[in-house]
Amino acid sequence: MNTTRLSFEFFPPKTADGIEKLRETRGQLAKYNPEFFSVTFGAGGSTRDRTMDTVLEIQKEGFQAAPHISCISSSKEEISHLLQAYQAQGIKRLVALRGDVPSGEVSSGDFRYAVELVEFIRAETGDQFHIEVAAYPEFHPEARTPTADLLNLKRKVDAGATSAITQYFYNADAYFRFLDQCEIAGIDIPIVPGIMPIYNITQLARFSSICGAEIPRWLRMRLEEYAEDMPSLRAFGVDVVSELCETLQTWGVPSLHFYTLNRSGIISNIIENISE
Ligand code: FAD
């Protein structure tokens, strides 16, 4: 019986069809009694209304919904309105991020880094929200050094973050070493591993090159070999990610946060495997 708590991340759908598919996905994942469902937010507020609509629908269904807020290219006034709207709707948990400026654009907002957003949320709303922040066991691509990245997480904790969710990784060792470093640095909040199921190699390679998550050579080569054989690729991916989750569970992780890409099938297979 699986007792690890779970949470699931969605992106806000754009079309009526996407909204309907996400309802089905939520219906499937709801049976695992998740701690919360989170909904991403496009930098500069590009998905603001869709994120809000999705969050409110989740909340109406009786689940805890956690909107992401990315602050880059936003003004303090815009973020303040958003916080007021979420407070008025009874939202209790936020995922506070910097976000990335779309290529070719220049940031023009009031915030440079996520720590400033965490400070702002605490100043505006006190202890109203449980604030999640991002953490990077394999280091953020812009990090000057591993230590500088760790100190950035420490600053976010000191500013009021309640817990952290990591970028995805396939090297469990990187996560465990990161936890050791956090402990030494006095970071004492829960650091929940973010889990990325494997759907297809092209998409995974693209995500990983942007966010700095390593696909180990043995994994990449096996996935490339299966590139023309989706059923085998997915079955192999389920095995690899299930083993990763089991290793993390064995070491007593606080919970697992799944990047769902708004799909439930592969995640259900993984959860069934790790619940046996
Ligand atoms: P920060 O914590 O601000 O760190 C960004 C970089 O700046 C790091 O390299 C850090 O070391 C460096 N840094 C911090 N302070 C300083 C300083 N004073 N001087 C120099 N360097 C510094 N993106 C979205 O747009 N929408 C989402 O919904 C979203 N959800 C996410 C959910 C999770 C769980 C994760 C892990 C990421 C998510 N992202 C999302 C991606 C995230 O926005 C990017 O990774 C972004 O590049 C960094 O965001 P951050 O909050 O980690 O930034």
Side-chain angles (χ1 to χ4, degrees):
M1 177 64 191
N2 182 19
T3 52
T4 309
R5 285 174 300 159
L6 304 170
S7 55
F8 300 106
E9 178 172 317
F10 305 127
F11 60 84
K14 275 192 184 143
T15 62
D17 190 39
I19 292 171
E20 197 44 52
K21 283 199 177 119
L22 181 56
R23 284 186 189 130
E24 284 168 29
T25 295
R26 274 203 308 275
Q28 293 295 322
L29 296 176
K31 64 176 184 246
Y32 303 115
N33 195 20
E35 196 178 1
F36 63 91
F37 289 125
S38 81
V39 184
T40 62
F41 185 89
S46 56
T47 68
R48 184 176 19 239
D49 294 345
R50 284 187 283 124
T51 299
M52 172 76 81
D53 292 347
T54 311
V55 159
L56 295 186
E57 190 174 326
I58 292 169
Q59 210 191 21
K60 255 193 224 133
E61 290 169 350
F63 297 101
Q64 185 174 158
H68 296 206
I69 300 181
S70 63
C71 59
I72 200 97
S73 304
S74 289
S75 67
K76 287 191 170 168
E77 199 184 356
E78 284 166 328
I79 299 290
S80 185
H81 285 146
L82 199 55
L83 293 173
Q84 284 166 28
Y86 284 135
Q87 269 187 303
Q89 296 291 346
I91 296 295
K92 300 277 184 242
R93 186 188 289 253
L94 302 172
V95 185
L97 303 140
R98 185 195 69 175
D100 291 306
V101 186
S103 63
E105 289 182 28
V106 180
S107 167
S108 57
D110 289 336
F111 302 88
R112 280 172 315 155
Y113 296 108
V115 63
E116 295 164 18
L117 176 62
V118 177
E119 280 164 0
F120 185 74
I121 296 171
R122 286 290 177 231
E124 291 269 301
T125 65
D127 289 336
Q128 287 279 313
F129 293 108
H130 176 127
I131 304 178
E132 306 269 3
V133 289
Y136 300 87
E138 295 177 324
F139 320 119
H140 185 269
E142 291 163 39
R144 276 172 291 141
T145 61
T147 303
D149 217 26
L150 190 73
L151 291 177
N152 179 47
L153 178 59
K154 175 86 167 86
R155 280 195 295 274
K156 293 194 279 192
V157 175
D158 292 345
T162 327
S163 49
I165 302 172
T166 75
Q167 186 56 272
Y168 67 87
F169 54 87
Y170 297 104
N171 297 306
D173 283 354
Y175 172 76
F176 294 126
R177 286 202 176 269
F178 182 68
L179 290 190
D180 289 345
Q181 293 303 308
C182 286
E183 197 181 335
I184 292 166
I187 296 170
D188 55 2
I189 59 169
I191 299 180
V192 174
I195 306 293
M196 179 66 90
I198 298 174
Y199 298 101
N200 87 54
I201 173 71
T202 314
Q203 184 191 46
L204 186 66
R206 184 165 47 83
F207 284 168
S208 300
S209 72
I210 296 169
C211 74
E214 189 196 19
I215 311 177
R217 177 180 155 84
W218 64 269
L219 176 58
R220 182 173 48 77
M221 288 189 70
R222 293 291 298 272
L223 293 173
E224 282 168 0
E225 191 175 8
Y226 289 133
E228 302 300 319
D229 176 4
M230 272 302 174
S232 298
L233 182 139
R234 290 193 176 160
F236 173 68
V238 165
D239 277 355
V240 168
V241 177
S242 301
E243 269 175 35
L244 172 66
C245 293
E246 278 168 349
T247 304
L248 295 168
Q249 281 180 310
T250 306
W251 288 90
V253 290
S255 50
L256 298 170
H257 179 81
F258 282 90
Y259 296 107
T260 70
L261 307 186
N262 291 9
R263 302 184 218 179
S264 64
I266 286 183
I267 292 179
S268 295
N269 293 339
I270 295 167
I271 295 173
E272 303 297 330
N273 279 349
I274 64 175
S275 305
E276 281 168 3

